[in-house]
């Protein structure tokens, strides 16, 4: 997919935040992906067609029927509907921001009030969020910041501007330490996860999308 320049120039609630991947998965074997398309995530939470800006996404050459719907992002844990949905030329709405929208897995999203959010912090695309221990995501952010060509002094508080998976809070800057750093978001998600009753820093948030 290619984004229309006019959509990239949008401001306000319709401003593009990032790309996401929308997938349809087999109703009997949900780890099998049937079709997928990239969409643009807007500031208000809508996922729109990158070419037209339409909130209706059309996946070509897919037969009408039942499919699981999955939403994935580069540094967040993906989410999948709890059951297959009937999809056809009749428009079906899936709102993963609603806490009432059932999803596969336990605590597959961070629920704040009535709003459900994808878990942030998967900097190494391992389908997990890990603060301490093997394959942790904190070291990915630190490594990206320390090895940035412009960070000639190898400062851990260097602010690396750009489009990188290490930008966990999606403000356009990867920061390991100091104001607006990305580590506090990751660590907060791990420590305050509903299943982390011991508040352990080495607790692992595993993704819930079948694989």
């Amino acid at each position: 997919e290619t984004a229309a320049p006019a959509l990239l120039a949008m401001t306000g609630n319709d401003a593009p935040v990032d790309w996401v991947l929308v997938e349809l998965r087999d109703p009997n074997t949900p780890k099998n992906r049937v079709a997928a398309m990239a969409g643009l995530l807007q500031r208000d939470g809508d996922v729109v067609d990158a070419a037209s800006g339409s909130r209706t996404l059309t996946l070509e050459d897919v037969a009408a029927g039942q499919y699981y719907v999955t939403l994935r992002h580069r540094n967040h844990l993906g989410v999948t509907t709890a059951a297959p949905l009937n999809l056809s030329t009749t428009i079906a709405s899936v709102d993963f921001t609603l806490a009432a929208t059932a999803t596969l897995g336990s605590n597959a999203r961070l629920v704040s009030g009535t709003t459900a959010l994808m878990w942030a912090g998967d900097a190494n695309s391992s389908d997990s969020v890990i603060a301490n221990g093997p394959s942790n995501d904190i070291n990915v952010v630190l490594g990206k910041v320390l090895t940035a060509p412009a960070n000639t002094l190898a400062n851990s508080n260097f602010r690396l501007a750009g489009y990188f998976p290490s930008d966990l809070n999606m403000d356009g800057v990867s920061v390991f330490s100091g104001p607006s750093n990305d580590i506090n978001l990751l660590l907060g998600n791990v420590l305050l996860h509903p299943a982390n009753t011991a508040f352990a820093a080495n607790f692992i948030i595993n993704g819930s999308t079948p694989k």
Side-chain angles (χ1 to χ4, degrees):
E1 286 76 23
T2 302
L7 290 182
L8 295 180
M10 296 289 287
T11 60
N13 287 336
D14 289 336
V17 175
D18 207 346
W19 289 95
V20 291
L21 189 67
V22 179
E23 301 176 337
L24 301 185
R25 290 173 172 249
D26 187 274
N28 300 309
T29 311
K31 70 177 182 179
N32 292 343
R33 186 174 72 181
V34 176
M37 71 177 296
L40 283 180
L41 174 66
Q42 295 181 327
R43 185 175 292 161
D44 59 6
D46 292 335
V47 176
V48 301
D49 184 287
S52 67
S54 171
R55 292 194 298 172
T56 300
L57 304 182
T58 302
L59 286 86
E60 303 290 345
D61 301 321
V62 179
Q66 291 194 324
Y67 300 95
Y68 287 93
V69 178
T70 294
L71 184 70
R72 297 172 59 196
H73 179 261
R74 61 193 171 102
N75 58 20
H76 287 61
L77 299 183
V79 290
T80 301
T81 55
L85 305 180
N86 287 314
L87 301 180
S88 67
T89 53
T90 301
I91 296 174
S93 176
V94 181
D95 191 345
F96 283 116
T97 69
L98 295 179
T101 299
T103 55
L104 285 177
S106 177
N107 299 307
R109 294 165 298 166
L110 168 62
V111 178
S112 177
T114 58
T115 302
L117 310 167
M118 298 170 75
W119 290 105
D122 186 12
N124 59 8
S125 301
S126 64
D127 194 35
S128 60
V129 176
I130 305 175
N132 288 350
S135 302
N136 72 74
D137 296 282
I138 285 181
N139 283 348
V140 175
V141 179
L142 178 60
K144 190 67 178 178
V145 169
L146 291 181
T147 60
N151 187 7
T152 55
L153 298 179
N155 288 325
S156 63
N157 62 348
F158 180 80
R159 298 175 62 82
L160 174 61
Y163 185 77
F164 302 110
S166 50
D167 175 19
L168 302 180
N169 61 13
M170 298 172 64
D171 63 354
V173 185
S174 296
V175 185
F176 178 77
S177 62
S180 302
N181 71 73
D182 295 281
I183 302 305
N184 285 346
L185 174 61
L186 189 163
L187 188 58
N189 282 344
V190 168
L191 293 178
L192 300 178
H193 191 278
N196 188 7
T197 55
F199 299 102
N202 62 349
F203 179 84
I204 297 175
I205 308 177
N206 288 308
S208 61
T209 298
K211 60 180 184 297

